[in-house]
Amino acid sequence: MSPSPASPGPAELVESLTAWARETPWVEWLELAGSLGRGAGDEFSDVDAGVGLLDGGDLDAIERSVTEFAPTAAVLRQPFGPETTHLVCIYQDGRQLSLVVMPSATRIGLAPEAVALVDKLDRLSTSLDRTTWDPDADGRREWAFLACIAAGDALKHARRGTFWRALRSLTEARDLYLQLVAAQEQVVFPQFGAVSLENAGRPVPDELSATLVGSPDQDAIVDAVQVLVSLLAPFVAEHGLEELCCALRLDVRHEEPDSPR
């Protein structure tokens, strides 16, 4: 449950986290990302942050510290790449801290849409190029390829009557389509699809609402898939995936929308 507006907001967590990082000798830097890092946060925002550790850094000590910021409901650790851990702390008042913990040398600059809160050795004094996260042509082709596969799976499962699997595949195809649109719009972090489009103030194509299915029903899912395939048509053509769509029984002959904005 999200905290009510009367609850302590995320600013207090940011202050506690910043003070801890400054006072901890084996913490080199701390960056704030997400909506708060972009300056678009509010009292309901999660605290998305990254912390760089020097030798002697201790994940157990970090967990003990962040759980002292406020009464805690639960903590989770997730592997997040080599030597990197995503530490998620949910406080009893509903606030959330998502802290990516990594060796300090992993970072050679400040990530896009982030701010440096602590930077003891000026490692975050330069900005990383936002295009570092942009997919290349092979990456965009992979997204389009997988979107077609997921759309084909949605049709297959709908015709089998396995509707929840069909809806899952339809959602996957829709998410991949939105990643393609985000990459085309050249927004930051296009791999987050709808999130990145909304963060950048870019509209999601109006036609996509027709791919939302209210209940498990074969005809509704088939119709939704066809709309989605028509939206995917420009990307199918761009990456030469017409034969793939034919093999998957996906009809891409429909007139394309004016643009996949």
Side-chain angles (χ1 to χ4, degrees):
M1 179 182 296
S2 298
S4 68
S7 302
E12 290 90 339
L13 286 180
V14 174
E15 291 173 1
S16 297
L17 186 65
T18 303
W20 165 80
R22 285 175 179 154
E23 296 165 2
T24 304
W26 39 263
V27 170
E28 181 186 330
W29 54 262
L30 173 70
E31 69 176 9
L32 180 66
S35 61
L36 294 170
R38 294 196 313 276
D42 57 25
E43 68 269 27
F44 301 106
S45 295
D46 298 334
V47 176
D48 299 298
V51 63
L53 308 186
L54 298 166
D55 290 341
D58 186 336
L59 188 60
D60 290 335
I62 295 175
E63 182 173 327
R64 286 194 298 271
S65 295
V66 300
T67 56
E68 292 174 356
F69 294 163
T72 302
V75 179
L76 175 68
R77 295 184 186 183
Q78 295 177 304
F80 209 66
E83 300 184 276
T84 302
T85 300
H86 182 208
L87 180 64
V88 184
C89 183
I90 309 298
Y91 298 94
Q92 291 180 11
D93 56 24
R95 291 178 296 170
Q96 176 174 318
L97 170 63
S98 296
L99 185 64
V100 179
V101 182
M102 66 192 84
S104 61
T106 301
R107 183 56 56 79
I108 56 173
L110 186 65
E113 300 186 339
V115 294
L117 300 177
V118 175
D119 191 13
K120 298 174 182 177
L121 299 179
D122 294 329
R123 193 179 296 274
L124 306 182
S125 59
T126 60
S127 298
L128 293 171
D129 187 346
R130 58 156 297 278
T131 62
T132 301
W133 286 266
D134 289 352
D136 59 14
D138 288 341
R140 295 192 302 274
R141 181 183 183 275
E142 179 179 350
W143 288 353
F145 190 108
L146 294 176
C148 293
I149 294 290
D153 285 346
L155 283 181
K156 178 172 60 180
H157 293 311
R159 289 163 178 159
R160 283 175 173 167
T162 50
F163 295 122
W164 291 109
R165 293 178 69 183
L167 291 172
R168 179 180 182 277
S169 295
L170 176 60
T171 298
E172 180 182 352
R174 185 191 301 116
D175 288 345
L176 287 160
Y177 165 71
L178 287 169
Q179 290 176 211
L180 289 163
V181 174
Q184 185 178 68
E185 291 288 311
Q186 298 182 325
V187 302
V188 180
F189 303 127
Q191 64 269 34
F192 297 128
V195 173
S196 296
L197 286 168
E198 291 188 342
N199 287 347
R202 305 293 176 84
V204 169
D206 292 338
E207 299 89 345
L208 198 62
S209 62
T211 69
L212 300 175
V213 179
S215 61
D217 173 85
Q218 177 174 329
D219 290 340
I221 293 170
V222 169
D223 289 345
V225 169
Q226 187 54 63
V227 172
L228 184 55
V229 170
S230 71
L231 290 167
L232 282 167
F235 301 109
V236 169
E238 177 185 354
H239 299 289
L241 297 175
E242 292 88 351
E243 289 191 15
L244 171 65
C245 289
C246 182
L248 295 171
R249 306 298 188 266
L250 298 175
D251 184 0
V252 293
R253 295 174 299 172
H254 285 60
E255 183 178 352
E256 299 175 6
D258 292 338
S259 67
R261 295 174 297 172

